[in-house]
Amino acid sequence: MKPTSKVVALLVVFLMAFSVVASGCIGGGGGTTTTAPPSSPSTQTKTQTTSTSSGPQVGILEMDKVYVIATDKSVVIVGPKGESPTVKLPSGKKVIKVQYVVDTENTPSVKDLMDQGQGFGAINPAFFRDEHVDALVVAARRETDPTIRTELFKALYILGNYFVPEAILGQNKQLRVYWSWVKGRYYHPTLVERFDLLSEDSNAPTVDIGIKDYKNDPKTYVIATFGWPESFDPAWTYETFGWAIWHEIGDTLVTYWKEETEQVSPDLAVAWAHNKEGTEWYFLIRGGVKAYDPWDDKTYPISAVDVAFTFLRVERLGHSVSWMVDSFMDVNHSAALTEEEFDQYLKEHPLIAEYKGKSTEVHSLDELKKFFGYNGETAGVFKLVLPQPYAPVLGILADPFLSVVPMKYLLGDKYEEALKASDNGHDPSAWWKYLQQGQDDPTHQLMHQKPVGTGPFYVKDYQENSYIVLEYNPHYWNATSNPGHTRVIYVLNKDPMARIQLYKTGTADTVAIPPDKIDTVKGLELNGFKSIVQTDILEPILTFIVFNTQKEPFNNPKVRQAIAYAIPYDQIAKLVYNNLLERNYGPIPKPWPGYIEEGIIKYNYNLAKAQKLLKEAGVDPSKYSIELIYNEGNTAREKIMTYLQNTLSQLGFKVTVNSYNWPTYLSKTEHGQYDIYVVGWVPDYLDSDNWVGPFLYGDTQFKSVEVTVG
C-alpha cells in the first residue's frame, strides 16, 4: 500500500494522506542498529510478560542474545545460529526456533537507505533495524505452513508493540460520501473501484464543473478530493492517488474482481501455472491488447516482452515501491517466451495450475488454456522467477505499480536495439543499460508527464494540483459500448469546506471529507436524491505516527514508549475521527493472522507513565526540539499533530508543527528528514507480512534463516 496523499472518499489503497489512510503502500546487521535492547536485560525480560491464572505466560520472556516470545499457542525463539535462550520455556507449547547468519557484506547501512529514499521501501518508515526482528520477518516470508506463519506474525506483533517504531493511533473505519444517484458501489481493501463499472441514475443532475467546458452529467464521475499523485509513472508511485489512477488507466497480469479477496482473476494474463517448488511462475499473456498513447494518438501492441520489461524497469528505477520486486522476484532471470517454447517446456516439465478452488497438473499449453476456459488469441508467456516461494505473490501482481507498460513507447528509437540485446526478452537483464536508477531516467520522465496504459481509461487532461480528467479508452481490450462512465474528473481543493460545497451543489458525485465534517453532509437532498454516508466497515488500515529511530532521543525504545503514552488516543478518536478509529496496539490490523491482545503493552494516555519512562531512559526533554510534520490540506492530521504538540510540550519537549505538500512530504519522510510524522497504511496485498514487513523490516540481509519446530 503505500502512503496515501489523499482519500478520494471511495478510494482505498496505500499510504494515505487523508485523515484515514496513507498507502500500502509500500526491506540489518551491517554494523548499524537503530535500536538496542534496554540496558537492563533483567527488567526487559519481565516487563512485557503477562500471565493469567487460567492460562500460560504470554509476552516477551527474554531479550538478550536471543529473543524469546511466548504467544498463546507457541514459544518463538530467534537469534544467531548457535545461541540459545537462558530462560525456562513454558511447557505444553509448540517451540518455533529461528536461527540466522547475517550477511554483513551485503547489508546496506541505514544511512545509505536514507540517502536512497528507501523509507517505506527497502526499510520501514522509522528506519528501525533489529537483526532478530528482521530474521523473524524473513522467516515468516519463507515459511509455507500457515499455522507456523501465524505464530511468527504474533511474535512480530508483540515485538512491534514493544519497540514501537511507529505508534499506532488506531484502525480506521471506512468513510465514504456520495449521492444516491451513483449505482454499483463496492469495496475492496487494496484496490479502488473501477469507474466504468459504476453507473448513475439517468435523472442525475447535469452541472457545470467550472473547469473549461467540463460538466458533471450522468456519464461523468466527479470526485472532489485533495492531494496530487506522486507520479503518473506506475514504477514511481507508492501512494493511494497514484495507484488509484493506474487502476483506471492500466492493467496488471491478474486482478481482483470487485469485492473478491480470496482469489485473483485474469487480466492481461489469461492463465498461469507454477512449478512444485513455487519458484517459477508462467503467465500466458492475452492477445490483442493495445496500449493507447493519447498524446500522439498511437497504439502499441502488448506482449510478454512488455511484461518482462515492466517488471525489470520497476527494479531498475529503484523507487521505494520496488521493494516488493526486489524482495520476492528475480526479474533478471525471468523471461519472455513464445507459446511454442512454453508448450515444449511443459511436455518435459509439467506444471501446477490452480484456479477457482481447483488444481491440476498441466502438460501442454492447450491443457492450461482449457483449465482456465480460455480459447482466444495470446501474446507469449512471461516466466517469473522467485528466489524463494512466496505464498501471496499473486496479490502483489495485482498491484497497480506493476501495470504493464509498452516498451516501444518508453525506449523509442532504442527499442529495436534493446529488444535484440535481450534476445527478444529471453534475457531481461540486458535492459539495465537502457534504463537508469532514479527519477532522471528518461523513461520515467516520459511516463511521469505523459502516461500510457492499456486500461479502461486514459489520462486526457490535467493541471497539477487542480484537476485530472480521464476518458474512456476506445482501444481498451474489454471495451463495451455502454460503460457506466465515459469520463472521470478529479477536482482538487485543499479546503474541505470548499470540497463539501462542490458536493452539496451536485458538482461532485463523491467527496473526501475529514471525519469531523460528517454532520455537514448527512441528511442532504438534491433533486430527489439523498446524500449517502457510509461508516460501517472496519478496514485493514492503520493510522500511526512514525519516529525517526536514527535520531536522538527516538533511538531509545523507552522514549518511544513514553511518547506512546503521551498520545491522547480517545481525544483523537472522538474529535478528529468522529469515533471512526478503533484501538490497535501493533502492526497488524484485526482480525488478520498474527493480531493478538495478550502479552502486549496497551498504551493509553498517561503523562505520569510517560514521565517515568523518560526518567528511566535518562532523557531530559528540555534539551530536545521536535518537529511534528503532516501533509498540508489534511486537516485531520493537522489536529493530531496539534494535540501531540500540546502533550509533548507538557513533558518538557520544545515542539513545532509544520506541513508540506504531498510530494515534498513523501520525499522528506522517505529520506529520513523528519523527527515525527503522521501517516496511514493500506495494504499492498492481503497478507499479514504486508503489515509487519513494511512496519518493522530493517533490510538486514542474511546468509541463512532456518526455522525448526519442536
Side-chain angles (χ1 to χ4, degrees):
M1 239 66 193
K2 25 201 171 13
T4 61
S5 69
K6 46 173 249 90
V7 171
V8 181
L10 50 146
L11 296 184
V12 175
V13 86
F14 268 77
L15 291 185
M16 203 170 81
F18 179 52
S19 58
V20 179
V21 196
S23 138
C25 300
I26 180 190
T32 306
T33 306
T34 26
T35 65
S39 56
S40 173
S42 61
T43 58
Q44 182 173 350
T45 57
K46 297 294 183 183
T47 52
Q48 303 316 317
T49 319
T50 62
S51 62
T52 66
S53 58
S54 61
Q57 203 171 51
V58 177
I60 299 173
L61 308 184
E62 180 177 349
M63 294 182 95
D64 198 355
K65 292 182 179 179
V66 300
Y67 290 175
V68 180
I69 307 98
T71 76
D72 53 337
K73 296 182 179 179
S74 66
V75 178
V76 178
I77 303 167
V78 58
K81 195 169 185 178
E83 299 289 351
S84 299
T86 60
V87 297
K88 182 179 179 180
L89 304 183
S91 60
K93 289 190 175 185
K94 180 184 298 181
V95 177
I96 304 170
K97 193 169 186 178
V98 178
Q99 294 183 302
Y100 63 82
V101 177
V102 173
D103 185 351
T104 304
E105 182 180 351
N106 290 310
T107 297
S109 71
V110 176
K111 182 182 182 302
D112 285 346
L113 293 168
M114 278 186 169
D115 291 343
Q116 296 166 15
Q118 287 294 325
F120 249 142
I123 193 169
N124 59 77
F127 295 93
F128 165 80
R129 175 175 283 172
D130 182 285
E131 291 176 358
H132 297 336
V133 173
D134 285 357
L136 280 176
V137 171
V138 172
R141 288 175 173 174
R142 296 181 181 177
E143 180 59 48
T144 56
D145 185 329
T147 61
I148 302 302
R149 292 188 86 221
T150 295
E151 296 307 302
L152 295 174
F153 288 141
K154 289 176 184 176
L156 284 162
Y157 186 94
I158 292 169
L159 288 170
N161 164 265
Y162 174 81
F163 281 120
V164 66
E166 304 93 8
I168 309 299
L169 301 178
Q171 184 172 342
N172 297 95
K173 289 186 176 180
Q174 181 194 55
L175 168 60
R176 62 181 179 186
V177 180
Y178 61 97
W179 285 108
S180 61
W181 61 65
V182 180
K183 308 298 181 182
R185 299 298 306 270
Y186 63 91
Y187 167 77
H188 192 276
T190 61
L191 297 175
V192 301
E193 295 158 302
R194 276 260 307 272
F195 301 137
D196 59 322
L197 303 180
L198 307 186
S199 62
E200 296 184 26
D201 190 299
S202 59
N203 294 315
T206 297
V207 182
D208 286 328
I209 293 176
I211 298 172
K212 297 184 177 179
D213 60 352
Y214 294 120
K215 297 180 183 294
N216 183 12
D217 56 37
K219 298 297 287 186
T220 302
Y221 196 56
V222 178
I223 303 161
T225 187
F226 64 100
W228 188 256
E230 183 179 11
S231 175
F232 283 131
D233 183 351
W236 200 271
T237 183
Y238 196 23
E239 42 79 40
T240 44
F241 208 161
W243 280 35
I245 295 292
W246 270 94
H247 189 53
E248 309 299 331
I249 69 172
D251 282 299
T252 47
L253 289 178
V254 296
T255 190
Y256 290 101
W257 180 250
K258 293 190 173 181
E259 302 99 329
E260 181 60 63
T261 59
E262 296 298 319
Q263 65 177 11
V264 295
S265 295
D267 196 346
L268 291 192
V270 297
W272 52 88
H274 60 82
N275 64 1
K276 292 180 180 179
E277 295 76 20
T279 55
E280 291 182 2
W281 289 73
Y282 296 82
F283 297 89
L284 182 61
I285 305 305
R286 186 182 303 276
V289 175
K290 297 177 182 178
Y292 177 47
D293 169 12
W295 318 105
D296 295 304
D297 196 24
K298 296 173 62 176
T299 60
Y300 297 86
I302 294 296
S303 73
V305 173
D306 299 286
V307 179
F309 177 77
T310 294
F311 280 63
L312 187 285
R313 182 173 174 270
V314 171
E315 170 94 350
R316 181 67 175 108
L317 265 61
H319 188 47
S320 57
V321 72
S322 68
W323 75 269
M324 284 177 278
V325 174
D326 183 63
S327 298
F328 307 123
M329 308 173 200
D330 182 356
V331 293
N332 289 300
H333 293 95
S334 299
L337 308 176
T338 66
E339 286 85 350
E340 292 75 19
E341 289 170 333
F342 180 54
D343 194 45
Q344 184 61 40
Y345 180 83
L346 281 172
K347 286 181 172 61
E348 301 174 7
H349 307 87
L351 299 172
I352 299 168
E354 297 162 322
Y355 185 51
K356 292 186 175 180
K358 297 180 180 180
S359 178
T360 190
E361 188 174 84
V362 293
H363 302 77
S364 70
L365 179 58
D366 284 342
E367 284 185 12
L368 180 62
K369 292 170 69 175
K370 184 177 180 180
F371 180 70
F372 276 82
Y374 183 77
N375 57 11
E377 59 181 310
T378 58
V381 176
F382 173 54
K383 173 186 177 182
L384 177 63
V385 176
L386 311 185
Q388 302 282 343
Y390 189 55
V393 66
L394 289 178
I396 297 177
L397 300 187
D399 287 342
F401 81 98
L402 286 174
S403 294
V404 177
V405 296
M407 176 178 167
K408 188 172 185 178
Y409 170 70
L410 291 174
L411 292 186
D413 57 9
K414 292 187 177 181
Y415 168 72
E416 295 293 344
E417 178 187 323
L419 188 63
K420 183 178 179 180
S422 69
D423 186 20
N424 291 313
H426 288 82
D427 179 17
S429 65
W431 293 325
W432 275 70
K433 66 180 181 179
Y434 296 93
L435 301 162
Q436 64 187 62
Q437 184 175 3
Q439 58 187 353
D440 292 333
D441 172 70
T443 71
H444 165 65
Q445 290 298 321
L446 177 60
M447 188 66 83
H448 178 67
Q449 298 176 47
K450 296 181 177 181
V452 168
T454 64
F457 294 92
Y458 66 91
V459 177
K460 176 185 179 181
D461 185 16
Y462 67 88
Q463 181 174 316
E464 189 166 347
N465 298 318
S466 180
Y467 63 86
I468 301 171
V469 179
L470 309 182
E471 290 278 350
Y472 195 63
N473 181 2
H475 303 282
Y476 178 47
W477 63 268
N478 199 24
T480 66
S481 59
N482 188 32
H485 289 100
T486 56
R487 178 177 289 166
V488 178
I489 303 177
Y490 299 89
V491 181
L492 309 177
N493 195 309
K494 292 185 289 187
D495 182 356
M497 293 310 298
R499 297 196 302 272
I500 290 170
Q501 184 59 31
L502 290 172
Y503 178 71
K504 285 182 175 180
T505 59
T507 306
D509 299 299
T510 184
V511 61
I513 66 168
D516 63 355
K517 301 294 187 203
I518 286 179
D519 290 342
T520 65
V521 294
K522 280 185 175 179
L524 297 179
E525 291 191 12
L526 183 64
N527 293 7
F529 295 97
K530 295 182 178 181
S531 175
I532 306 296
V533 180
Q534 287 190 323
T535 60
D536 56 338
I537 296 176
L538 181 64
E539 300 181 292
I541 295 167
L542 298 175
T543 295
F544 49 97
I545 65 168
V546 182
F547 299 103
N548 188 333
T549 63
Q550 292 296 307
K551 280 188 175 183
E552 291 186 2
F554 314 115
N555 59 342
N556 188 321
K558 282 193 175 181
V559 172
R560 301 195 297 271
Q561 290 176 357
I563 295 177
Y565 275 112
I567 297 172
Y569 300 97
D570 292 343
Q571 188 179 30
I572 290 171
K574 181 179 180 180
L575 300 180
V576 179
Y577 287 96
N578 213 346
N579 294 319
L580 297 180
L581 194 69
E582 285 196 10
R583 288 307 311 274
N584 195 313
Y585 305 95
I588 298 176
K590 60 181 79 167
W592 289 82
Y595 176 82
I596 187 171
E597 293 191 2
E598 300 173 81
I600 61 172
I601 306 171
K602 294 193 174 180
Y603 297 104
N604 52 64
Y605 180 58
N606 189 330
L607 285 185
K609 181 70 173 177
Q611 290 169 334
K612 182 175 181 292
L613 285 167
L614 289 174
K615 186 175 181 180
E616 289 177 6
V619 168
D620 179 358
S622 66
K623 294 182 178 179
Y624 293 94
S625 296
I626 298 175
E627 182 189 36
L628 309 177
I629 66 173
Y630 66 95
N631 50 301
E632 66 181 14
N634 194 319
T635 57
R637 292 180 179 176
E638 179 182 9
K639 290 180 180 178
I640 290 170
M641 289 318 210
T642 301
Y643 292 147
L644 190 57
Q645 179 187 34
N646 178 51
T647 56
L648 294 186
S649 296
Q650 291 182 55
L651 291 176
F653 290 104
K654 301 170 185 175
V655 188
T656 58
V657 177
N658 290 303
S659 66
Y660 299 90
N661 65 49
W662 184 241
T664 302
Y665 190 66
L666 285 177
S667 179
K668 288 180 71 69
T669 56
E670 289 166 352
H671 288 84
Q673 298 167 359
Y674 68 92
D675 295 325
I676 298 176
Y677 75 96
V678 59
V679 76
W681 180 256
V682 184
D684 302 306
Y685 50 96
L686 300 176
D687 186 85
S688 294
D689 178 42
N690 196 233
W691 288 284
V692 297
F695 276 62
L696 298 176
Y697 186 49
D699 202 27
T700 303
Q701 302 300 306
F702 296 95
K703 293 181 178 178
S704 66
V705 176
E706 300 173 2
V707 180
T708 56
V709 181

